[in-house]
Amino acid sequence: GDSVTQTEGPVTVSESESLIINCTYSATSIAYPNLFWYVRYPGEGLQLLLKVITAGQKGSSRGFEATYNKETTSFHLQKASVQESDSAVYYCALGEAGNTGKLIFGLGTTLQVQP
Amino acid sequence: EAAVTQSPRNKVAVTGGKVTLSCNQTNNHNNMYWYRQDTGHGLRLIHYSYGAGSTEKGDIPDGYKASRPSQENFSLILELATPSQTSVYFCASGGRDRGTEVFFGKGTRLTVV
């Protein structure tokens, strides 16, 4: 079936260091999946961080970026310099094509940024 | 701003009792979803809906029912709650276009004792 695998947490980095959270997907039933990164801050619901719906394209938001790589079936999240306010849980997700909007999530990666 | 509101935010229920989790969205979205999140599983889809009067089974529907009486409201019903249904539940809404953003509520923490 379809699935998403991402870096196991928690991931701890110091402020101003670079970050990469790995995400790979398997889309056996979806030819052209949509890929998303969602973030959940403490006490909040999940919110969209960035999305890419076309292979080869890069999405970016709030200093984060991720490139949809169909060859390696990857969608790694990167940031050059993290801030303490980036501490949160990050979810990679795979979306079905079409209008269902259903999402398949990875387990989530907890990021702790130390001042 | 897109909004999804869940109630209650916290609930303690007795095994065998009936639990109703409510969700309201002001986004005028057609699609609505109920997910649960457990350690080691990420978020898993329980039920979803394409519009008022419609409910569809997701990946883990057993033990749950759903109701969509209107565009704005989508409820998740546990007729006979069990301790295995202790979890955090998220409601979400989204449009029908490809790659559309899905908006989530803040979650309901349910404990079944």
Side-chain angles (χ1 to χ4, degrees), chain A residues 2 15 17 21 50 54 56 60 68 74 84 90-91 100 103:
Chain A
D2 304 321
E15 205 163 27
E17 286 188 345
I21 299 176
L50 56 86
T54 304
S60 60
Y68 184 161
S74 67
E84 197 174 352
Y90 293 81
Y91 296 90
T100 68
L103 298 170

Side-chain angles (χ1 to χ4, degrees), chain B residues 79-101:
Chain B
E79 294 279 3
L80 294 169
T82 69
S84 65
Q85 294 175 312
T86 293
S87 187
V88 180
Y89 292 85
F90 288 97
C91 178
S93 74
R96 289 184 174 169
D97 296 331
R98 180 169 182 250
T100 188
E101 180 176 353

Side-chain angles (χ1 to χ4, degrees), chain B residues 41-110:
Chain B
H41 286 284
L43 278 83
R44 293 179 291 173
L45 183 64
I46 306 170
H47 284 289
Y48 61 102
S49 168
Y50 291 127
S54 123
T55 60
E56 307 288 337
K57 293 181 179 179
D59 299 319
I60 53 164
D62 293 345
Y64 302 94
K65 291 169 64 173
S67 174
R68 183 87 181 270
S70 65
Q71 179 84 335
E72 298 79 18
N73 296 294
F74 190 39
S75 299
L76 185 68
I77 303 153
L78 292 66
E79 294 279 3
L80 294 169
T82 69
S84 65
Q85 294 175 312
T86 293
S87 187
V88 180
Y89 292 85
F90 288 97
C91 178
S93 74
R96 289 184 174 169
D97 296 331
R98 180 169 182 250
T100 188
E101 180 176 353
V102 175
F103 294 88
F104 286 82
K106 293 188 176 183
T108 295
R109 183 174 296 277
L110 173 66

Side-chain angles (χ1 to χ4, degrees), chain A residues 37-41 44-50 62 89 91, chain B residues 101-105:
Chain A
W37 277 101
Y38 277 81
V39 58
R40 183 184 177 199
Y41 297 103
E44 300 292 321
L46 283 77
Q47 54 185 270
L48 181 66
L49 179 59
L50 56 86
R62 307 180 213 175
V89 183
Y91 296 90
Chain B
E101 180 176 353
V102 175
F103 294 88
F104 286 82

